[in-house]
Amino acid sequence: MTRSGLYQVDNIPKFNEIMDYLDKNLKKKEHEELGQIFANKLHGRIPLILSSSRLSAAAYKWKINLNENADTPAQVNTIPEFCHNGINGFTNANAATYCIILRDDEEERHVQKAMDATKQVLKEQGVLVGEINIRGKSRFQKLFTAITIGDWAS
């Protein structure tokens, strides 16, 4: 985790703050409820999980959980990469796909614009799209919040 920049091993107070957050927030009822809402939306559909690079680890965890827990195929990609290549696969509408976009308020402006444009293009192609605004004080908190919601969704 030191290499990822999430926290430094020599920063014990920060580590304790993170652990307190996880203890208080990972079992939040709102995470369970949001996860169950998206579980219902995903039922009978092929999930496409999109995120910026900031939440890509959480998006990939969503894919793994959906594969293993819900026994469903799932796709995962990041913005802006999906804008270059992945979106080409949606030129023919696929009503069986449900796209979930994991949003982070700290995304770079060009990534925010790309996500908005991608959402619009997918909707125009008949793909159902939902967004989740991931909240937290730090990147670490946001990752674990996104992962927890995904655990409930699967």
Side-chain angles (χ1 to χ4, degrees), residues 7 11-24 141:
Y7 78 91
N11 191 342
I12 300 302
K14 183 70 171 175
F15 178 77
N16 289 336
E17 176 187 325
I18 290 168
M19 297 312 292
D20 286 343
Y21 171 84
L22 294 176
D23 186 48
K24 292 175 186 170
Q141 290 177 359

Side-chain angles (χ1 to χ4, degrees), residues 88-137:
N88 292 331
F90 290 91
T91 54
N92 297 318
N94 184 349
T97 300
Y98 189 95
C99 177
I100 297 174
I101 301 176
L102 303 178
R103 301 294 300 251
D104 179 347
D105 61 356
E106 295 183 63
E107 294 159 351
E108 294 179 30
R109 185 74 181 132
H110 74 279
V111 173
Q112 291 174 1
K113 288 181 178 182
M115 285 188 168
D116 293 338
T118 299
K119 179 174 133 180
Q120 185 61 35
V121 169
L122 289 173
K123 283 184 172 185
E124 289 171 3
Q125 294 300 319
V127 175
L128 298 173
V129 180
E131 290 183 313
I132 302 174
N133 294 310
I134 304 299
R135 293 184 181 91
K137 293 180 184 177

Side-chain angles (χ1 to χ4, degrees), residues 75-91:
Q75 299 178 47
V76 66
N77 213 320
T78 58
I79 301 288
E81 177 59 29
F82 183 78
C83 298
H84 300 294
N85 300 312
I87 204 155
N88 292 331
F90 290 91
T91 54

Side-chain angles (χ1 to χ4, degrees), residues 61-62 65 69 146-154:
K61 180 77 165 70
W62 273 63
N65 284 1
N69 300 338
I147 288 168
T148 302
I149 295 168
D151 286 347
W152 285 108
S154 68

